[in-house]
Amino acid sequence: MNPLRILDSVSISAYAVLSGWLGFRIMQSWSLAGSPALLFYCALVLLLSYLIADLLSGVVHFLADNFGNADTPILGPALIHPFREHHDDPAEITRHGFLETNGNNCLVCIPVFLGLHLTYHWFSPEAAILVGTGVNGTLAFIFLTNQVHKWAHQPKPPAGVRMLQRTGLILSPDHHARHHREPFLNHYCITSGWLNPILDRSGILQFLLRIAGKQGRETS
Ligand SMILES: [Zn+2]
Ligand SMILES: [Zn+2]
């Protein structure tokens, strides 16, 4: 088996264990401090988590598209090269299996899980529920991001996915297609795409490119 796929398998398994364990600890905290009001705040935290995941997907994607190159240590082969390669052959992502699609994102989530598990006892039960829900939610949406991106390029994704795309709950093919069109410098968010209008109109990305002396998207 390809060593990278073994790493992907280990990362996804570790993600599942750490996320499940966090869910169990949240349930334990809930038995101490759960309430209807807290359930409402948990729902708000999950919505915020979805927005944070979309924003992070946009920022990381923008940086990988425009800074460094395939030879940049560690991040070059792991992050920058796949994003640049995706521009040359957008359909390539649809040929990735489950492990290749999701292993990378699970790997980057592991240190965050470990950090929270080590510090979980610092929080009161109420705070632990909200922080745990926020972290588990944000990382779950980060986990889903590459899969959602892949579905946006698939000609025939599963029927349930097509419904989510049509309702705009996840990144739709039409929305994401704008990233793959000239000038190739917008629509970087690839979880739901909800934050693309804000990020694109804010001028922050163009400002960062200007101060870095960049004229347009890097090609290698
Ligand atoms: Zn891109
Ligand atoms: Zn794409």
Side-chain angles (χ1 to χ4, degrees), residues 91-197:
E92 163 69 10
I93 192 174
T94 65
R95 296 188 284 274
H96 292 180
F98 178 81
L99 296 178
E100 188 172 2
T101 302
N102 298 299
N104 273 3
N105 278 8
C106 285
L107 183 62
V108 300
C109 290
I110 289 170
V112 183
F113 275 127
L114 291 175
L116 181 57
H117 276 300
L118 287 171
T119 56
Y120 194 83
H121 61 282
W122 292 357
F123 299 99
S124 68
E126 290 90 346
I129 291 167
L130 292 173
V131 172
T133 300
V135 170
N136 232 3
T138 303
L139 297 187
F141 298 133
I142 288 173
F143 178 1
L144 279 173
T145 293
N146 277 353
Q147 186 66 54
V148 166
H149 183 200
K150 176 180 165 179
W151 283 329
H153 282 282
Q154 278 182 329
K156 288 185 180 172
V161 170
R162 277 205 301 277
M163 192 188 74
L164 290 172
Q165 289 173 335
R166 274 199 295 268
T167 54
L169 285 173
I170 62 172
L171 186 72
S172 73
D174 288 348
H175 183 96
H176 181 57
R178 288 174 232 174
H179 178 70
H180 289 280
R181 288 202 293 262
E182 296 272 4
F184 305 109
L185 290 169
N186 53 47
H187 288 70
Y188 288 101
C189 300
I190 51 174
T191 306
S192 63
W194 292 355
L195 293 184
N196 277 324

Side-chain angles (χ1 to χ4, degrees), residues 8 31-33 57 70-71 82 90 101 127 131 152 168 188 193:
D8 290 336
S31 68
L32 297 173
S57 78
D71 297 324
T101 302
V131 172
Y188 288 101

